[in-house]
Amino acid sequence: MVKKAPRRTAERILEVTLELFNRFGEPNVSTTLISAELGISPGNLYYHYPAKDELINSLFDRYERGLNELLNASDSVRDVEDAWFFMHSLFELIWQYRFLYRDLNDLLSKNRRLETHFQSVLKNKTRAVKALLDGMSRSGAVSIDSREVEATATSMVVVMTYWLSFEYVRDPRNALEPANSQAALLRGAHHVLNLLVPYLEPGQRGHLMSLVGAYGSSPK
């Protein structure tokens, strides 16, 4: 039982750190604030995570593991319904670790490990989107020239990566608050999939519009 206590403390530190990073932005959260929020001494925090970068890296590792698991599901996407669910799940994960995207450029400029790993994230997202397009093409849901796949996949990844930044710019005071999460996620999924509209089979295009209407995700 004694051996499990440090792991529980380390887990709790990460949970609170993630909550604070998401709420205030990573640059605005100090280790002093984290230890105060936890009700532990700074020394106890440093015992588990000797530097702030170790907290960031640990949270990013969790995000990356969850992301890679989710991206593997892109192989099973065959139509708009599948793609809608896939994109919404992806945006839910991004929202869970939204501090990474809110402060992305700042984080990458200060953390070489994150800089390197995020390049892999972009490559894996692009690979997954290509798999999604391939599956939808083989099922007849989309008709896209092979020469357009690379640019379309890249455009979709750009929107995925910077959607929350756009949300923040359009409404800095409220965009990243939990109460607004579902609306933001649905708008994100809509805008990524909207890039496929020119290539969708007419019935699939109509189904996408019905999904957008049903969930009220049209951008305001």
Side-chain angles (χ1 to χ4, degrees), residues 112 114-124:
R112 175 61 180 166
L114 232 61
E115 178 187 345
T116 302
H117 278 251
F118 224 94
Q119 290 172 3
S120 295
V121 165
L122 293 181
K123 290 177 182 177
N124 289 337

Side-chain angles (χ1 to χ4, degrees), residues 21 42 45 47 51 55 83 106 110 116 120 137 148 161 166 197 208:
F21 281 178
L45 177 64
Y47 171 78
L55 288 163
D106 183 66
K110 298 185 301 185
T116 302
S120 295
S137 294
E148 297 182 81
T161 303
F166 178 75
V197 166
L208 176 59

